[in-house]
Amino acid sequence: MRLFQNPSKLQNQSLLYLLALSLWALFQIVRLKEPRFQKALKNFNATYQLRSGEATLKLVFVNEKIRIVPGRTETPDFELIFLDIPGTIQHLKDYPGDVIGLLFENKIDKKGNTYFLSKLGYLLGLCERYVREQLEHYPALSSFLAIDDD
Amino acid sequence: MVPNFSQSPIASEPFDVKTLTLSHFPRLQRMRAEHINAQKTVCIERARLVTEFFRKEGVSEAGMVLKQAKALKYILANLPVPVFEEELLVGSTTQHRFGCLIFPEFFGAAIFSELPNLSKRKFDPVHIKESDIDLLAEDIFPFWQNDTIFEYARKKGNDPESLRILERMIFYILSKPNGISHIIPDYSSAVNMGLEHLIEQARFKEKSTVEPEKIEFYHATQMALRAVIDFAERYAVACEKKAVHASPEREKELRHLASVLRNVPAKPARTLEEALQTIWLLHVALHQENVNTALSFGRLDQILNPFYQNDLATSKITPQKAGELIGCFYLKMSDHTPLVPEAGKDIVGGTGTSQALTLGGLTPDGKDGVNEITFLMLKMLALLSTREPNVTARVHSESTPEYHRALVEAIYQSGAMPALFNDDVTIKSLTENGVALEDARDYGVIGCVEINSAGRTMGATGAIILNLAAVLELTLYGGVHPLSRLKIGPKTPSLEAIKNFDDFMQAFDTQLKYLIELAVDGNRRFAEAHGKLHPTPLLSSLIQGTLESGCDITQGGAKYNSTGIAIIGFADVIDSFCALQELVFEQHRISKKTLISALISNFEQDQKTYTLLKKQASKYGTDHELADRRAIEVVQNIHQLFNQQEHPRGGNYTVGYWSATMHSGMGMLTGALPNGKRRGEALSSGATPVSGVASKGPTASLSSTAKLPYQFMDNGIANNHKISRSLLKTPGKLAVLSQLIKGYFKQGGMQVQFTIHDRETLIHAQLNPDAYRDLLVRVSGYTAYFCDLNRKMQDEIITRTEDHF
């Protein structure tokens, strides 16, 4: 993480895509396994625009599927502006459901209805719960996944 | 409201109250233990019912007063009506013994992202049923997403700056998105006249007007009041059902309760028991209409004493039985608590519902209002020592020695309550801001420590919380906030470009004025949203003035209208001003460049500057002329700046100096300051001097606070003092404490509150919370269980200046 504490423009773009792809991958796994996650996607159609510096992409929820779409749109349902991607990742690692805390700690800025931020947080919370339950079921997995912070 | 019976104010303590111990109340002992060990559980019934209703009826601006009354009627007609074992008063805020309500039309969705893991979160886990998670996530929160107070204001204002700034929580917090709160209903009218009489009054008014909006309002209030009467009948039936399978003794109690509920709240109360039942059931109903934050009780000893005296005279009650009823009432107040999201734990973590109760003080006609119920309520407070109610006792220059003694004994026994308010300046604080003398004498404390004329004021006393330290930072850095890098202020010169201290203060004023304008703008938008989307007909029917005006309190119908502000970081800013004036601008012992560099590095690279700032500048709290003068000027200036702004309901702005736990949370978002505060450390609490700087002892500290001009602090203050329990155990020390308080009030001090614990006890409690679940402390306003507070707030209390005498 220390490597990315003051990211360059290219690193910024890479981090944004990495974050979005990681989210997408996590969502895909949990969507397949967790019925509640599937229910959360039902009737939920929204375009989140994710931005970091000049890098922009969209996380699109439509027809119970999730897609990453490069580029920007003038009319997203919600825009999430990352001011500190490494900090965001660290915060979500410690408090996965606490997306509102990201605002207070100045890790993100936002444009749009806060409901969408809470909804995204809910999906992350479902992922956290899924991972926690898997680790409880398979304790060996937690040793395998243990990562040093530094 | 003239009571039914002649009041006999008694300033001396009744003979047997002093001898009462908790062992005299085995029922209360059991109920208290159940409360302390109860699992906090989310209750979604209210959220489910209000959503069902508005799904059918639609959310729109048209006809909302009547619609809200219909919504309340629907809720009260369908809410579960649990009757728990042993209770002598019925009515449950949620369906659980200890529950959390959710208000999806307000800030309820703040908990949305935490729902899947709510029962497992590290800080403050809350139990929630799996089916309730699903209902909230799939139905309730999605329904309200575009119709919350916040979203209405945001969309209508096209994403205004005032709301975008609000979301950062660094500069100010606005509480109105979380509902109408911080108010005292006129329970006296309900108790003494009965709801049927209030309905009749509204009906008469409805027939006497042709204005459609007023007709709608009067119709709505009648509907809301009738809904409460029907709610009481549902509880009566529930008691009778439960009686069928109860023990003979309990059956008798339950059938008696049913008969009580068939009289009140429809008709006037006849006994102390009926008066308490009226108040409690109304309180429960009001919490189904509005958020459970700081809905306060007002001067209950004044309301209840006539009933108590009559019960005694007719041998219907003994003091012990009265004590048991009061104890049950106190424990009922503890049946609910706010649901605080993870993000809020550093700001309001550990908070209860701050339901304030006011004892003693002058009557509206200027007599001493202390009576037998005052002493009994104080005693039960000390015996039970629960977080609710948040009790304040009013004191004046003629208060009796017996009363003073009872107060310090209660403070000592409970460790935290009551807080004390000085009538001699508090009443003047209200009259000098437009409140009639009789009404000012009838003030009650709300929530933490705010003051309003009870039962007749829409005061919104917790509406705006302003971080004064953030204003200082904007001034130091030319309109840029250092930690967040937000450029929100006007471009004033940064410190290095400022030539003298007067210019610095001018720049500070510019930044302050701008932030005030933003905060007021945001508050106005939310006030408008409430007026349009969420009028409150039941609460309005219990506030004086609305019957005459025919207008909901959200639309200015109350007799008195105001908006309350709390200032955070006051003492840190005063001390910083002194440091800047003395050490930087006048004595030149620290250059501006050095200071800024030291602040940015959090003093890590400049211990010398840090020591100078901490030790060599004047401090508020040491009875120092410069610091105290600066404090007075700031208090005056802030009040004047706020009252230059237009008020949404035609009233005025009231300013207070209290901080709940927000001085800790906002301190985390504040950088290093010129008074030597380090980045992330808690700010000073309320009007209290910065911890550790009151080097001249409690007398000097109290003297500084006593000098603050009361007329500009009409939203109350919290002056926090900590004394070790071991000190007060020493014979004679309680009397010294009493003298200290009297001296402070004589000097003009407005308020003081105490935490009475040894430092070692607090540290031990921090390490072994399970053994200290019920340890009470005073934060900066309300009372809290120490072990419910987050670590930073606990540390702040542990490191508070400890008074010695």
Side-chain angles (χ1 to χ4, degrees), chain B residues 434-734:
Chain B
V435 180
L437 178 60
E438 273 193 5
D439 294 341
R441 287 187 183 132
D442 204 28
Y443 80 86
V445 172
I446 294 171
C448 290
V449 293
E450 306 94 273
I451 48 177
N452 270 176
S453 183
R456 41 180 88 79
T457 311
M458 169 57 173
T461 62
I464 299 174
I465 316 293
L466 187 80
N467 183 0
L468 202 63
V471 180
L472 176 62
E473 289 190 293
L474 288 173
T475 312
L476 289 168
Y477 301 102
V480 178
H481 186 263
L483 286 192
S484 65
R485 307 304 305 162
L486 287 168
K487 287 179 197 162
I488 73 141
K491 181 110 185 61
T492 51
S494 63
L495 180 66
E496 288 174 69
I498 293 176
K499 291 193 171 36
N500 55 56
F501 186 67
D502 284 342
D503 287 352
F504 178 84
M505 289 307 293
Q506 213 164 9
F508 179 84
D509 268 2
T510 305
Q511 297 292 347
L512 178 60
K513 195 156 182 272
Y514 183 71
L515 261 193
I516 286 174
E517 283 168 3
L518 276 182
V520 161
D521 178 76
N523 178 67
R524 178 188 58 75
R525 291 177 191 279
F526 293 132
E528 189 192 314
H530 270 290
K532 292 272 195 284
L533 282 194
H534 206 279
T536 58
L538 179 61
L539 181 58
S540 295
S541 72
L542 296 169
I543 298 289
Q544 291 176 30
T546 56
L547 194 63
E548 293 76 12
S549 64
C551 190
D552 196 88
I553 56 171
T554 58
Q555 293 156 2
K559 183 174 181 182
Y560 295 105
N561 283 283
S562 54
T563 293
I565 293 108
I567 300 295
I568 311 286
F570 172 69
D572 286 282
V573 169
I574 300 303
D575 291 354
S576 295
F577 285 164
C578 291
L580 284 161
Q581 181 174 351
E582 292 171 332
L583 300 178
V584 176
F585 287 106
E586 287 177 356
Q587 299 165 20
H588 306 290
R589 292 170 74 181
I590 303 172
S591 73
K592 288 172 262 180
K593 190 173 174 187
T594 302
L595 177 63
I596 291 293
S597 175
L599 295 179
I600 289 172
S601 73
N602 198 27
F603 304 113
E604 278 161 22
Q605 287 149 28
D606 195 343
Q607 184 63 29
K608 183 179 164 203
T609 299
Y610 174 74
T611 306
L612 268 174
L613 293 170
K614 280 294 253 190
K615 304 281 183 201
Q616 297 291 312
S618 305
K619 305 286 184 203
Y620 162 73
T622 58
D623 205 13
H624 190 282
E625 191 271 331
L626 172 68
D628 292 350
R629 181 164 39 91
R630 202 50 77 197
I632 291 165
E633 285 166 2
V634 165
V635 166
Q636 182 170 349
N637 189 35
I638 290 175
H639 195 272
Q640 285 170 348
L641 283 175
F642 266 104
N643 281 291
Q644 285 168 5
Q645 305 293 320
E646 201 181 313
H647 190 274
R649 287 173 274 110
N652 58 310
Y653 291 94
T654 60
V655 184
Y657 293 81
W658 47 271
S659 52
T661 53
M662 288 175 278
H663 57 286
S664 172
M666 279 176 162
M668 287 170 58
L669 304 171
T670 303
L673 296 178
N675 68 327
K677 174 202 158 325
R678 291 190 194 274
R679 184 188 311 144
E681 277 179 353
L683 292 163
S684 51
S685 66
T688 320
V690 172
S691 282
V693 308
S695 52
K696 294 184 181 172
T699 315
S701 171
L702 290 169
S703 285
S704 283
T705 312
K707 288 178 200 167
L708 297 177
Y710 59 81
Q711 64 269 42
F712 304 121
M713 306 191 304
D714 45 349
N715 200 32
I717 70 167
N719 185 11
N720 297 294
H721 282 256
K722 193 172 90 185
I723 304 173
S724 81
R725 187 168 281 277
S726 306
L727 176 68
L728 288 183
K729 255 195 203 141
T730 314
K733 290 298 187 185
L734 275 182

Side-chain angles (χ1 to χ4, degrees), chain B residues 111-176:
Chain B
I111 206 69
F112 189 5
S113 57
E114 295 183 62
L115 288 179
N117 304 289
L118 195 57
S119 57
K120 300 274 185 194
R121 63 182 189 179
K122 284 183 222 148
F123 181 77
D124 189 24
V126 183
H127 181 69
I128 182 169
K129 286 198 317 212
E130 292 297 302
S131 53
D132 288 351
I133 294 177
D134 293 333
L135 198 57
L136 286 166
E138 293 161 27
D139 182 27
I140 295 173
F141 289 148
F143 175 80
W144 288 99
Q145 62 180 286
N146 293 315
D147 292 312
T148 62
I149 293 292
F150 189 95
E151 183 57 16
Y152 175 94
R154 189 193 72 84
K155 262 204 318 249
K156 191 146 193 233
N158 200 20
D159 231 346
E161 189 188 9
S162 57
L163 268 52
R164 283 189 283 109
I165 299 295
L166 165 65
E167 286 177 318
R168 299 317 187 83
M169 302 272 274
I170 299 170
F171 303 101
Y172 53 77
I173 297 170
L174 305 178
S175 70
K176 282 207 178 101

Side-chain angles (χ1 to χ4, degrees), chain B residues 357-407:
Chain B
L357 190 156
T358 311
L359 298 176
L362 293 173
T363 58
D365 56 358
K367 297 198 180 64
D368 182 20
V370 172
N371 55 50
E372 285 188 37
I373 281 283
T374 313
F375 287 107
L376 197 49
M377 290 187 105
L378 271 175
K379 186 64 178 181
M380 296 316 297
L381 164 75
L383 290 183
L384 284 175
S385 294
T386 48
R387 183 175 62 186
E388 307 291 341
N390 186 32
V391 179
T392 294
R394 290 172 43 173
V395 177
H396 56 86
S397 52
E398 307 297 317
S399 291
T400 64
E402 290 80 8
Y403 182 53
H404 275 284
R405 193 185 61 242
L407 291 177

Side-chain angles (χ1 to χ4, degrees), chain B residues 44-59 68 70-72 74-75 102-106 108 135-145 147-148 288 534:
Chain B
I44 69 158
E45 288 304 305
R46 188 240 166 231
R48 180 179 66 79
L49 290 166
V50 77
T51 306
E52 266 173 28
F53 177 83
F54 278 103
R55 178 170 281 120
K56 280 191 225 129
E57 299 292 325
V59 181
Q68 288 291 351
K70 288 179 180 171
L72 181 66
Y74 183 76
I75 293 169
I102 290 190
F103 295 83
E105 66 268 50
F106 301 144
L135 198 57
L136 286 166
E138 293 161 27
D139 182 27
I140 295 173
F141 289 148
F143 175 80
W144 288 99
Q145 62 180 286
D147 292 312
T148 62
Q288 310 311 316
H534 206 279

Side-chain angles (χ1 to χ4, degrees), chain B residues 19-78:
Chain B
T19 61
L20 290 173
T21 66
L22 205 52
S23 62
H24 288 100
F25 304 101
R27 182 196 306 252
L28 293 181
Q29 277 182 303
R30 291 188 295 270
M31 288 170 74
R32 183 186 185 278
E34 200 176 338
H35 157 67
I36 297 294
N37 297 312
Q39 179 179 56
K40 211 187 288 189
T41 307
V42 172
C43 176
I44 69 158
E45 288 304 305
R46 188 240 166 231
R48 180 179 66 79
L49 290 166
V50 77
T51 306
E52 266 173 28
F53 177 83
F54 278 103
R55 178 170 281 120
K56 280 191 225 129
E57 299 292 325
V59 181
S60 64
E61 290 181 17
M64 260 326 227
V65 178
L66 195 55
K67 236 186 235 187
Q68 288 291 351
K70 288 179 180 171
L72 181 66
K73 182 179 172 184
Y74 183 76
I75 293 169
L76 295 182
N78 292 285

